[in-house]
């Protein structure tokens, strides 16, 4: 099978060349770990990944009841993604058993697990509301006055601020004092996190896009090396493994949000179990109910059902990927893998989704975090952007002295300065952002 203009090929799509270290790609990684395993390990030991432990997923960070944060969510998505990719790779190995590159398919699990680990790396504090708070600051808040000073593409980047695009930037941008290539990740891993392979000029109604203007050339370089198809002059097809990363994320947030809501008593046990059993036929339900009859702990029953659902969805999504592999490689696959699972599971998945929007995402504790997050982020953005625009002011100098040196607050362009602020803002944890907000408002002072 060879690469042609109408179809991508696994031989090129699986590439261990590292961004910024291309000259060292000699086919010998000098150890027992593959380069894709090194991607995973490099992320685990990184500061941006550790900071995810103090960032909201959906519910407020835990008190006496532990719920998911960005770190635990990313670890679980990585685990599910690895299982999903391994099932796919086993089946693709059978299909391509006579190809000289067939052993490359063994790397799918490691690539996907690393990509899953990194998929939320660029998300700001306070969950998804943090993204909206940043974009709204420019589109309808005090940052709107900057529009005339930026290009159309730059303006689109910030009024559609997107965690996915920011994750790509966090991985590839050479921050001040850092090495070329950012994290120096493999090309395949980097391509696997770009869910929307186009710039903000093509952002859909939800404001989704894959890379900022500043990283466009880097993505194009990676896409060219991997043979990712171009849909038009500005838009690309997805790297096939994006579908597996997306499916692992879809599976985890839908099921885990339900489990967290049960722990927080937003949804009662009866309703939770009923929804979860909806993923299975009558025969399987009967067996599962028998298993649960031996367990008295309500949370343990829900945990058991959650594991069964994840297993079923992993198998179904693997089926959907393999059955549609040719369409995916031609860049013509529509929707996500969840859209192509069996009717029973799809109906149950939709029921969980509908309940989440009706009861979970509008829960008082969730809305309160959204409101507080919006207030905190808007305030900090105003102060920081004023500081980078007018650095000669005494207050600006004091505030900028608190910004880590890796962020280029003295960039030559206004857009560069704004990006430095957004880099700093999105790296903040919920606790750090709240603490800085209190200090700048004089509500918290160091002990004397």
């Amino acid at each position: 099978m060879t690469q042609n203009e109408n179809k991508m090929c696994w031989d090129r799509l699986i590439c261990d060349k590292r961004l910024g270290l291309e000259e060292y790609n000699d086919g010998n990684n000098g150890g027992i770990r593959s380069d894709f395993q090194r991607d995973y390990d490099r992320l685990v030991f990184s500061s941006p990944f550790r900071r995810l432990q103090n960032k909201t997923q959906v519910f407020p960070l835990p008190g006496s009841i532990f719920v998911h944060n960005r770190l635990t969510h990313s670890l679980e998505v990585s685990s599910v993604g690895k299982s999903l990719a391994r099932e796919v790779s086993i089946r693709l190995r059978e299909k391509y058993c006579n190809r000289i590159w067939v052993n490359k398919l063994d790397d799918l699990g490691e690539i996907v697990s690393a990509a899953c680990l990194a998929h939320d790396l660029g998300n700001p504090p306070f969950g998804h509301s943090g993204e909206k708070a940043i974009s709204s600051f420019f589109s309808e808040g005090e940052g709107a006055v900057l529009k005339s000073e930026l290009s159309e593409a730059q303006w689109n980047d910030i009024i559609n601020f997107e965690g996915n695009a920011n994750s790509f930037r966090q991985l590839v941008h050479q921050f001040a004092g850092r090495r070329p290539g950012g994290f120096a990740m493999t090309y395949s891993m980097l391509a696997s996190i770009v869910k929307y392979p186009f710039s903000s000029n093509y952002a859909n109604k939800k404001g989704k896009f894959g890379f900022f203007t500043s990283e466009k050339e880097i993505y194009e370089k990676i896409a060219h090396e991997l043979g990712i198809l171009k849909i038009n002059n500005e838009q690309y097809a997805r790297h096939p493994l994006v579908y597996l990363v997306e499916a692992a994320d879809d599976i985890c947030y839908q099921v885990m949000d339900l489990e967290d809501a049960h722990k927080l008593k937003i949804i009662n046990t009866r309703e939770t179990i009923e929804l979860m059993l909806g993923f299975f036929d009558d025969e399987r339900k009967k067996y599962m109910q028998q298993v649960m009859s031996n367990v008295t702990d309500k949370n343990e029953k829900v945990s058991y059902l959650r594991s069964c659902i994840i297993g079923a969805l992993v198998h179904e999504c693997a089926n959907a990927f393999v059955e549609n592999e040719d369409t995916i490689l031609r860049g013509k696959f529509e929707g996500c893998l969840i859209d192509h699972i069996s009717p029973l599971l799809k109906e149950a998945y939709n029921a969980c989704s509908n309940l989440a929007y009706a009861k979970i995402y509008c829960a008082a504790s969730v809305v309160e975090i959204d409101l507080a997050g919006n207030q905190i982020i808007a305030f900090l953005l105003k102060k920081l952007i004023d500081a980078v625009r007018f650095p000669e002011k005494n207050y600006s100098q004091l505030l900028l002295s608190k910004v880590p040196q890796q962020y280029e607050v003295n960039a030559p362009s206004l857009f560069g300065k704004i990006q430095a602020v957004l880099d700093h803002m999105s790296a903040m944890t919920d606790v750090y952002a709240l603490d800085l907000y209190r200090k700048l408002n004089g509500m918290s002072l160091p002990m004397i």
Side-chain angles (χ1 to χ4, degrees), residues 59 253-263 267 272 275-276 279 302 309 352 355 360:
F59 299 103
Y253 79 71
Q254 197 65 263
V255 180
M256 304 314 300
D257 287 355
L258 188 61
E259 185 174 14
D260 281 349
H262 173 258
K263 286 182 180 179
I267 307 172
T272 303
L275 274 168
M276 288 182 149
F279 284 86
V302 172
I309 292 170
C352 290
L355 180 135
I360 298 176

Side-chain angles (χ1 to χ4, degrees), residues 91-102:
R91 295 173 62 177
L92 290 184
R93 277 191 66 96
E94 296 175 1
K95 178 178 180 179
Y96 296 113
C97 60
N98 295 322
R99 308 294 183 183
I100 59 173
W101 46 261
V102 66

Side-chain angles (χ1 to χ4, degrees), residues 245-288:
V245 175
E246 178 183 48
D249 190 27
D250 288 345
I251 291 169
C252 286
Y253 79 71
Q254 197 65 263
V255 180
M256 304 314 300
D257 287 355
L258 188 61
E259 185 174 14
D260 281 349
H262 173 258
K263 286 182 180 179
L264 293 169
K265 303 188 186 309
I266 294 172
I267 307 172
N268 63 45
T269 302
R270 181 193 59 76
E271 187 174 14
T272 303
I273 290 177
E274 185 177 311
L275 274 168
M276 288 182 149
L277 286 174
F279 284 86
F280 306 98
D281 60 29
D282 291 340
E283 184 177 349
R284 183 74 189 279
K285 279 182 189 177
K286 184 177 180 180
Y287 171 78
M288 294 169 75

Side-chain angles (χ1 to χ4, degrees), residues 118-256:
H119 82 284
D120 273 350
L121 212 62
N123 282 71
F126 307 112
H128 289 294
S129 66
E131 294 174 277
K132 187 63 177 175
I134 291 174
S135 60
S136 296
F137 175 81
F138 296 102
S139 64
E140 58 189 52
E142 295 190 48
V145 297
L146 302 174
K147 182 177 181 179
S148 62
E149 301 180 52
L150 301 171
S151 70
E152 181 181 1
Q154 291 169 343
W155 185 246
N156 284 335
D157 278 357
I158 59 177
I159 64 170
N160 294 297
F161 182 84
E162 221 287 322
N164 288 282
N166 202 44
S167 293
F168 187 71
R169 175 175 169 81
Q170 292 299 310
L171 290 172
V172 305
H173 180 68
Q174 184 179 0
F175 290 97
R178 304 301 175 88
R179 62 183 173 187
F183 274 61
M185 293 293 184
T186 60
Y187 279 31
S188 291
M189 180 271 174
L190 290 171
S192 297
I193 70 165
V194 182
K195 288 175 65 175
Y196 313 101
F198 43 81
S199 71
S200 61
N201 290 332
Y202 291 86
N204 58 31
K205 292 180 180 179
K206 294 183 178 180
K208 300 296 186 181
F209 63 100
F211 42 82
F212 297 118
T213 303
S214 49
E215 284 73 56
K216 180 181 177 183
E217 289 186 6
I218 295 176
Y219 181 78
E220 290 177 339
K221 174 183 177 180
I222 293 170
H224 176 75
E225 177 70 24
L226 301 181
I228 296 176
L229 296 176
K230 258 192 170 184
I231 296 174
N232 56 43
N233 289 334
E234 295 287 338
Q235 296 175 285
Y236 288 82
R238 284 177 165 186
H239 188 292
L241 297 186
V242 170
Y243 289 102
L244 300 184
V245 175
E246 178 183 48
D249 190 27
D250 288 345
I251 291 169
C252 286
Y253 79 71
Q254 197 65 263
V255 180
M256 304 314 300

Side-chain angles (χ1 to χ4, degrees), residues 286-298 300-301 304:
K286 184 177 180 180
Y287 171 78
M288 294 169 75
Q289 287 168 330
Q290 183 178 351
V291 171
M292 286 191 292
S293 67
N294 297 317
V295 179
T296 57
D297 188 302
K298 295 176 181 179
E300 191 65 23
K301 289 182 179 182
Y304 165 68

